[in-house]
Amino acid sequence: MSPESYSRSNRPIDYLKSSVNKIILIKVKRNRLFRGRLGGFDDHLNLYLEETSQIFEFQDDEGNIREEHENLGSIVVRGDNVIFVNLAHLEGF
Amino acid sequence: MSPESYSRSNRPIDYLKSSVNKIILIKVKRNRLFRGRLGGFDDHLNLYLEETSQIFEFQDDEGNIREEHENLGSIVVRGDNVIFVNLAHLEGF
Amino acid sequence: MSPESYSRSNRPIDYLKSSVNKIILIKVKRNRLFRGRLGGFDDHLNLYLEETSQIFEFQDDEGNIREEHENLGSIVVRGDNVIFVNLAHLEGF
Amino acid sequence: MSPESYSRSNRPIDYLKSSVNKIILIKVKRNRLFRGRLGGFDDHLNLYLEETSQIFEFQDDEGNIREEHENLGSIVVRGDNVIFVNLAHLEGF
Amino acid sequence: MSPESYSRSNRPIDYLKSSVNKIILIKVKRNRLFRGRLGGFDDHLNLYLEETSQIFEFQDDEGNIREEHENLGSIVVRGDNVIFVNLAHLEGF
Amino acid sequence: MSPESYSRSNRPIDYLKSSVNKIILIKVKRNRLFRGRLGGFDDHLNLYLEETSQIFEFQDDEGNIREEHENLGSIVVRGDNVIFVNLAHLEGF
Amino acid sequence: MSPESYSRSNRPIDYLKSSVNKIILIKVKRNRLFRGRLGGFDDHLNLYLEETSQIFEFQDDEGNIREEHENLGSIVVRGDNVIFVNLAHLEGF
């Protein structure tokens, strides 16, 4: 398969299909990070996520990067906020 | 149902339908948070909300996260401000 | 009426119709707030307002939220600045 | 006339027509304010202004809001910078 | 000529035609100012300028507004950066 | 080949084709840098990357520029975040 | 040639044609500056550059403007980041 056909048949967004029903990470503008089960998506990268938790990263007093989680359940993310989607590689993640 | 058909038949925004007439949370840019009854929406994620309250989160002098509420009644939110919509799971929320 | 038909027949912006000729509040980016009589609107949420006053909120030296008003008369607001429109519920508001 | 026909026949931007050849105020992002004679406009709120002066507002050492004017002559403002247009009510303004 | 025909026949951007081959000032976002000979333009307000100099305004140690010039020759400005174009009134400017 | 035909036949984005399956660097807004194997792209510069690592640049206490890497696996980058793509020149890079 | 035909036949972006295969300077948002050989461009001002170096301008401890260069090779710049393109006038530049 040539690079030309490769890129035409497989648009970047199509690669999300293999992650439907799997856990993904979504990095969003304004330093937000979501982890959830991908329920659906569209061409604008609008995302439907289930069992979502928002992850807050912050520096503690010793300068270490720490994480806090907030459970959100099912959310619809507006695509124009997305920086990148980290596809599922392991169900355990 | 394959991932392909799944994502095509159910666009992320379609998942808002099940929350019409129910209480949802909307996270908006510039650190705004709304809670209200979803009256209607469109493809841009413009939202019509009833019984809306805006929730302000702030840190008090002891560093604790605190909330203040402002009752707004019925509002129309312009969709391009929305970061994500937290769908109704419990009417009590 | 099902959620599906509900959301299709009544787009969020259509709810502005019932507020035409009534006093509404408009929250705009960059911390601006307008109160005025809705004269007209379009799908971009461009707004025509009469008897408009701009409301400035600020903290005084004691830390209290204070308001100042500036009378503007008739204005046309470019829709992409709008965060949300607070619909008229009481003429007295 | 019903609200429905009202809003359809008179789009917000159409209200600018009555201000053509009159003095208007234009509030622009990044804290700019223009006063000028409206020579023309289009649907994007691009504006052609004659006899324009840019008004700078600043706080002096006593904390009073002060104004400075800069004469610009004829300018074309790109519409996406506009927050709102204050329509002419008095030629003297 | 009625305001209606006036605004329809003369779009704001059409007023740039009379400044082609003349010296104009362009105010651009992020506090940039260009002075140059207008060679061409399009509906997005993309501009082709010749004999361009970029003007930097800054406050010196006494608080006076000062100007520095940088000669750029011929440039193409992407229209979405433009705040306003100051049309030529005098060749000497 | 004249410049005219050159630019029409080879759009900037077409040059990414030769980098498919190769390691590229992507500079993204908000000071992010990704290195990964280009799996696919589209006209919006949405990118599918495999074996991706995000590279954080920071200044250490002596003022030296330092790098930290985070392995991300496969990601889809939303194109509107991209500043530029550094094409593969050496597989070793 | 009248201004009207002038501006219609020569769009600003068309002036880039004469710089294909020549060294140009590109000023990009977030204070970035690129120097490179223009390989191709499109209507969005997406650019393909070869032999590119990124130029960092900074103030040293004495307050002088200093430059640092980073060689990037071939890059594709997403057009919406471009402020202006400085066309080639001298091959030596």
Side-chain angles (χ1 to χ4, degrees):
Chain A
M1 187 169 64
S2 74
E4 201 149 354
S5 68
Y6 183 82
S7 65
R8 217 173 323 162
S9 59
N10 279 344
R11 300 177 311 146
I13 286 171
D14 292 336
Y15 286 95
L16 285 170
K17 282 179 195 159
S18 63
S19 290
V20 169
N21 289 326
K22 295 187 183 144
I23 304 291
I24 60 171
L25 274 171
I26 302 100
K27 186 72 187 182
V28 172
K29 291 173 189 171
R30 282 163 297 276
N31 228 25
R32 289 170 187 279
L33 184 64
F34 298 102
R35 180 188 288 137
R37 191 171 297 279
L38 182 61
F41 64 93
D42 62 19
D43 281 2
H44 305 289
L45 226 46
N46 293 320
L47 302 167
Y48 173 64
L49 300 172
E50 296 172 313
E51 309 163 31
T52 317
S53 62
Q54 185 171 2
I55 304 167
F56 300 95
E57 293 178 331
F58 63 97
Q59 260 186 321
D60 66 13
D61 293 346
E62 280 83 45
N64 302 314
I65 303 293
R66 296 274 300 272
E67 263 189 19
E68 264 185 24
H69 291 233
E70 183 187 9
N71 289 324
L72 297 174
S74 298
I75 67 170
V76 174
V77 179
R78 200 177 195 265
D80 67 326
N81 297 289
V82 173
I83 303 177
F84 67 88
V85 176
N86 202 332
L87 301 187
H89 42 107
L90 285 173
E91 185 60 5
F93 217 63
Chain B
M1 188 168 64
S2 74
E4 200 149 356
S5 69
Y6 184 81
S7 65
R8 217 173 323 161
S9 59
N10 279 345
R11 300 176 312 145
I13 285 171
D14 293 336
Y15 287 95
L16 286 170
K17 281 178 196 160
S18 63
S19 290
V20 168
N21 289 326
K22 294 186 184 143
I23 303 291
I24 60 171
L25 274 172
I26 302 100
K27 187 71 187 182
V28 172
K29 291 173 189 171
R30 283 162 297 277
N31 228 26
R32 291 171 184 279
L33 184 64
F34 299 102
R35 179 189 288 135
R37 192 171 296 277
L38 181 61
F41 64 93
D42 63 18
D43 281 1
H44 305 289
L45 226 47
N46 292 321
L47 302 167
Y48 173 64
L49 301 172
E50 296 171 312
E51 309 162 29
T52 317
S53 63
Q54 186 170 2
I55 304 166
F56 299 95
E57 293 177 330
F58 63 98
Q59 260 186 322
D60 65 14
D61 293 346
E62 280 83 47
N64 302 313
I65 303 292
R66 297 274 299 274
E67 263 189 21
E68 265 184 24
H69 291 232
E70 183 187 10
N71 289 325
L72 296 175
S74 297
I75 67 170
V76 174
V77 179
R78 199 176 196 267
D80 67 327
N81 297 288
V82 173
I83 303 177
F84 67 88
V85 177
N86 202 331
L87 300 187
H89 42 106
L90 285 173
E91 185 59 6
F93 217 62
Chain C
M1 188 168 64
S2 74
E4 199 151 356
S5 68
Y6 184 83
S7 65
R8 216 174 321 161
S9 59
N10 279 345
R11 300 177 310 145
I13 286 172
D14 293 337
Y15 287 95
L16 286 170
K17 281 178 196 161
S18 62
S19 291
V20 169
N21 289 326
K22 294 184 184 147
I23 303 292
I24 59 171
L25 274 171
I26 301 102
K27 187 71 186 181
V28 173
K29 291 174 189 169
R30 283 162 297 276
N31 229 27
R32 291 171 187 277
L33 184 64
F34 298 102
R35 181 189 287 136
R37 192 172 296 276
L38 181 60
F41 63 93
D42 63 19
D43 282 3
H44 304 290
L45 226 46
N46 293 321
L47 303 167
Y48 173 64
L49 300 172
E50 295 171 313
E51 309 162 29
T52 316
S53 62
Q54 186 170 2
I55 303 167
F56 299 95
E57 293 177 330
F58 63 98
Q59 261 186 320
D60 66 15
D61 293 347
E62 279 84 45
N64 302 312
I65 304 293
R66 297 274 298 274
E67 262 189 21
E68 264 183 27
H69 291 232
E70 182 187 11
N71 290 324
L72 296 175
S74 297
I75 67 170
V76 174
V77 179
R78 200 177 196 265
D80 67 327
N81 296 288
V82 173
I83 302 178
F84 68 87
V85 177
N86 202 331
L87 300 187
H89 41 106
L90 285 173
E91 184 59 7
F93 217 63
Chain D
M1 187 167 66
S2 75
E4 200 150 355
S5 67
Y6 183 84
S7 66
R8 215 173 323 160
S9 59
N10 280 344
R11 301 177 311 145
I13 286 171
D14 293 336
Y15 287 95
L16 285 171
K17 281 179 197 161
S18 64
S19 290
V20 169
N21 289 326
K22 294 185 183 144
I23 303 292
I24 60 171
L25 275 171
I26 300 102
K27 188 71 187 182
V28 172
K29 291 174 189 169
R30 281 163 297 277
N31 228 27
R32 289 169 188 279
L33 185 63
F34 298 103
R35 181 188 289 136
R37 192 173 296 279
L38 181 61
F41 63 93
D42 63 19
D43 281 4
H44 304 289
L45 227 44
N46 293 321
L47 303 168
Y48 173 63
L49 300 172
E50 295 170 315
E51 309 163 29
T52 317
S53 62
Q54 185 169 3
I55 303 167
F56 299 95
E57 292 177 331
F58 63 98
Q59 261 186 319
D60 66 15
D61 292 347
E62 279 84 45
N64 302 312
I65 304 293
R66 296 274 300 273
E67 262 189 20
E68 263 185 27
H69 291 233
E70 182 187 11
N71 290 324
L72 296 175
S74 298
I75 67 170
V76 174
V77 180
R78 201 177 195 265
D80 68 327
N81 296 289
V82 173
I83 302 176
F84 67 87
V85 177
N86 202 331
L87 301 188
H89 40 105
L90 286 173
E91 185 58 8
F93 218 63
Chain E
M1 188 167 65
S2 75
E4 201 151 353
S5 67
Y6 183 84
S7 65
R8 216 173 323 160
S9 58
N10 280 342
R11 300 178 311 146
I13 286 171
D14 293 335
Y15 287 95
L16 285 171
K17 281 178 197 161
S18 62
S19 291
V20 168
N21 290 326
K22 293 184 184 146
I23 302 292
I24 61 171
L25 275 171
I26 300 101
K27 188 71 188 181
V28 172
K29 290 173 189 169
R30 281 163 298 277
N31 227 27
R32 289 169 187 279
L33 184 64
F34 298 103
R35 181 187 288 137
R37 192 172 296 278
L38 181 61
F41 64 93
D42 63 18
D43 280 3
H44 304 290
L45 226 46
N46 293 320
L47 303 167
Y48 173 63
L49 300 171
E50 296 170 312
E51 309 161 30
T52 316
S53 63
Q54 186 170 2
I55 303 167
F56 299 96
E57 293 178 331
F58 63 97
Q59 262 186 318
D60 66 15
D61 292 347
E62 281 84 44
N64 302 311
I65 304 293
R66 297 274 300 272
E67 262 189 20
E68 263 185 27
H69 291 233
E70 183 186 11
N71 290 323
L72 296 174
S74 298
I75 67 170
V76 174
V77 179
R78 202 177 194 265
D80 69 327
N81 297 289
V82 173
I83 303 176
F84 67 88
V85 176
N86 202 330
L87 301 188
H89 41 106
L90 286 174
E91 185 58 7
F93 218 63
Chain F
M1 188 169 63
S2 74
E4 201 151 354
S5 67
Y6 184 83
S7 66
R8 216 173 322 161
S9 58
N10 278 344
R11 299 178 311 145
I13 287 171
D14 292 336
Y15 287 94
L16 286 170
K17 282 178 196 161
S18 62
S19 291
V20 169
N21 289 327
K22 295 185 183 145
I23 303 292
I24 59 171
L25 274 170
I26 301 101
K27 187 72 188 181
V28 172
K29 290 174 188 170
R30 281 163 300 275
N31 228 27
R32 289 170 187 279
L33 184 63
F34 298 102
R35 180 188 288 138
R37 191 172 298 276
L38 181 61
F41 64 93
D42 63 18
D43 281 2
H44 304 290
L45 226 46
N46 292 322
L47 303 166
Y48 173 64
L49 300 170
E50 295 172 313
E51 309 161 31
T52 316
S53 63
Q54 185 171 2
I55 304 167
F56 300 95
E57 292 178 331
F58 63 97
Q59 260 185 321
D60 65 15
D61 292 346
E62 280 85 44
N64 302 314
I65 303 293
R66 297 272 301 271
E67 263 190 21
E68 263 185 24
H69 292 233
E70 183 187 10
N71 291 324
L72 296 174
S74 298
I75 67 171
V76 174
V77 179
R78 201 178 195 263
D80 68 326
N81 297 289
V82 173
I83 303 177
F84 67 88
V85 176
N86 202 333
L87 301 187
H89 42 106
L90 285 173
E91 186 58 6
F93 216 63
Chain G
M1 188 168 63
S2 75
E4 201 151 355
S5 67
Y6 184 82
S7 65
R8 216 173 323 160
S9 58
N10 279 343
R11 300 178 310 146
I13 287 171
D14 293 336
Y15 287 95
L16 286 171
K17 281 178 198 161
S18 62
S19 291
V20 169
N21 289 327
K22 294 184 183 146
I23 303 293
I24 60 171
L25 274 171
I26 300 101
K27 187 71 188 181
V28 172
K29 290 173 188 169
R30 281 163 299 276
N31 227 27
R32 290 170 187 279
L33 184 64
F34 298 102
R35 181 188 287 137
R37 191 172 296 278
L38 181 61
F41 65 93
D42 63 19
D43 280 2
H44 304 289
L45 226 47
N46 293 321
L47 302 167
Y48 173 63
L49 300 171
E50 296 171 312
E51 310 161 29
T52 316
S53 63
Q54 185 170 2
I55 303 166
F56 299 96
E57 292 177 332
F58 63 96
Q59 261 185 320
D60 65 16
D61 293 346
E62 281 85 43
N64 302 313
I65 303 294
R66 298 273 301 270
E67 263 191 20
E68 264 186 23
H69 291 233
E70 183 187 10
N71 291 324
L72 296 174
S74 298
I75 67 172
V76 174
V77 179
R78 201 177 194 263
D80 69 326
N81 296 290
V82 174
I83 303 177
F84 67 88
V85 176
N86 202 331
L87 301 187
H89 42 106
L90 285 174
E91 186 57 8
F93 216 62

